[in-house]
Amino acid sequence: MPVCTTCTIWLPHLYTVYQSAYNLRLEQCPNCHSFADPYVEHDELTLLIDLLLLKRAVYRHLLYNRGSEPRREDGSTVKVGVGQPKDACGSSNQDKKDSSHWKLVVRLGLTLTFIDAFIRWSHLTVQPVSGDRVESPSISPRSMRAISGFSAIFSGCCIETIAFHTGVIIACYIVLRALDLSFWRAQSDIRRKFRFSLIPLALFYSSFTKLFFLFLLTIWRPSRTPQHLSPSHNDTTGFLPIQFGFDILKALEFMTDDRLDREWVVRNVMGGMSAGFGLRVILDINPIFTTFIILSGWIVKTSVSVMISGWIGNDVATAEAWLASSIP
């Protein structure tokens, strides 16, 4: 059954279809009196923008309500299999939904991992092309090295992603079992619909924000030339005294391009926060537990990154750069 994207209670239907699929009416939630799922009428671009903005409702739409059957104009519902009891049909439909979730995990995971590998490859191995050398029409040794390097980085990203998701799933199982056995909280509707297939889906959806900003950093690279912030003698920084302005600029020196690694901040700080947000949508637990789960996934990912760093990097510099982007 789908859920209300506002209050998360179970609902039989999200909308009613009249005559055609484009003529529909959104259902109103009887609990919070808002539309059950307004994202039914929105296009893919709106869903992507709200994913980047980390809106809780779009996560609930994609994880729980995507593909839900509507109510027909005459009030009829989707017919279940003939000769099957209601409970068996519900269990069968849930198994099919879990199977479709895992298939979506594979497709989405490969796509996002490929994008992540391209971003890392562009930061680690892209070198300027010499202007006095013209490449031959056939595949040059430089192109072969680039293809080989990208393949190694893509394989490493796949291994890291599997390790991180495995660590998160194991930590989720431990935390949920401990909470269920200790009876610390009541079972909510969103908690009753929890399936382990939702964990990697929520992590992949939450990674859209991280990959978007990393892609922007790939296009607009920050300057690596040292820039020392110090007020000139002719500049009094507006109405502030010179000494006070100097203290402010000195305190902000950590934000300069030669000291602040923006890629590391986006990949780990922003990525960890968005991943924790996605887990809270499906787990409905305290942020302290989601922080513990993310840290557990980071530990597993870090251990795997250290083991494969020598294989990824052809030299010491590349291996160190890989670890710098992988280890939190």
Side-chain angles (χ1 to χ4, degrees):
M1 295 178 65
V3 300
C4 174
T5 56
T6 303
C7 62
T8 70
I9 68 166
W10 290 353
L11 296 173
H13 301 283
L14 299 174
Y15 60 99
T16 302
V17 175
Y18 298 95
Q19 296 179 354
S20 68
Y22 300 98
N23 185 10
L24 55 89
R25 178 179 63 86
L26 297 179
E27 296 289 335
Q28 188 177 24
C29 177
N31 184 44
C32 62
H33 304 291
S34 60
F35 287 125
D37 190 352
Y39 287 101
V40 171
E41 295 183 318
H42 293 172
D43 55 3
E44 303 295 336
L45 180 59
T46 303
L47 297 179
L48 178 60
I49 293 175
D50 286 351
L51 272 179
L52 297 179
L53 297 176
L54 298 179
K55 291 190 176 182
R56 196 183 299 266
V58 70
Y59 278 83
R60 291 167 179 164
H61 167 77
L62 292 173
L63 295 172
Y64 300 105
N65 299 342
R66 195 74 163 178
S68 298
E69 294 293 340
R71 193 203 311 270
R72 307 301 178 186
E73 181 180 4
D74 55 358
S76 63
T77 58
V78 180
K79 296 181 180 180
V80 298
V82 179
Q84 294 182 353
K86 185 176 181 180
D87 293 340
C89 291
S91 177
S92 178
N93 291 334
Q94 187 62 50
D95 293 339
K96 291 181 180 179
K97 197 166 186 178
D98 287 341
S99 177
S100 63
H101 280 169
W102 285 115
K103 292 179 181 178
L104 180 59
V105 165
V106 174
R107 295 197 304 269
L108 192 62
L110 289 176
T111 302
L112 296 181
T113 305
F114 182 85
I115 297 175
D116 189 16
F118 173 78
I119 293 173
R120 292 198 186 190
W121 175 78
S122 64
H123 282 281
L124 296 177
T125 61
V126 170
Q127 298 177 354
V129 179
S130 176
D132 56 350
R133 181 180 177 181
V134 180
E135 298 291 348
S136 60
S138 60
I139 299 179
S140 63
R142 179 182 299 178
S143 300
M144 292 300 298
R145 288 196 300 268
I147 295 174
S148 176
F150 178 79
S151 300
I153 291 176
F154 177 70
S155 301
C157 288
C158 290
I159 296 174
E160 276 193 358
T161 303
I162 294 174
F164 177 69
H165 284 233
T166 302
V168 169
I169 291 176
I170 295 175
C172 285
Y173 176 79
I174 295 174
V175 169
L176 293 179
R177 287 291 295 174
L179 292 177
D180 292 339
L181 292 177
S182 59
F183 301 101
W184 284 3
R185 59 186 177 85
Q187 292 281 338
S188 61
D189 287 346
I190 202 72
R191 176 65 183 86
R192 293 189 186 97
K193 291 181 69 67
F194 171 76
R195 297 294 184 273
F196 281 100
S197 59
L198 297 176
I199 296 178
L201 267 183
L203 293 177
F204 282 133
Y205 284 140
S206 63
S207 65
F208 274 86
T209 304
K210 174 188 69 176
L211 293 177
F212 174 74
F213 285 102
L214 287 176
F215 184 73
L216 293 182
L217 290 178
T218 303
I219 301 175
W220 293 286
R221 297 178 183 274
S223 174
R224 292 300 180 183
T225 57
Q227 297 177 357
H228 301 286
L229 297 176
S230 59
S232 61
H233 295 287
N234 297 328
D235 184 12
T236 58
T237 64
F239 298 99
L240 298 177
I242 295 179
Q243 183 62 36
F244 184 68
F246 176 77
D247 293 338
I248 293 178
L249 294 177
K250 188 175 182 180
L252 295 177
E253 284 186 353
F254 75 96
M255 299 184 65
T256 56
D257 293 334
D258 57 326
R259 294 191 179 186
L260 180 64
D261 190 351
R262 290 181 173 85
E263 182 185 359
W264 185 92
V265 173
V266 172
R267 184 176 295 278
N268 294 287
V269 179
M270 182 180 293
M273 294 176 63
S274 58
F277 176 85
L279 287 180
R280 283 200 65 194
V281 174
I282 61 175
L283 298 180
D284 193 24
I285 57 178
N286 193 283
I288 297 178
F289 298 112
T290 56
T291 303
F292 167 77
I293 292 172
I294 295 298
L295 291 177
S296 301
W298 272 350
I299 292 174
V300 178
K301 173 188 172 184
T302 299
S303 303
V304 174
S305 299
V306 172
M307 290 188 296
I308 67 175
S309 61
W311 171 65
I312 295 296
N314 297 325
D315 52 10
V316 178
T318 306
E320 290 179 353
W322 173 268
L323 290 177
S325 62
S326 299
I327 298 179

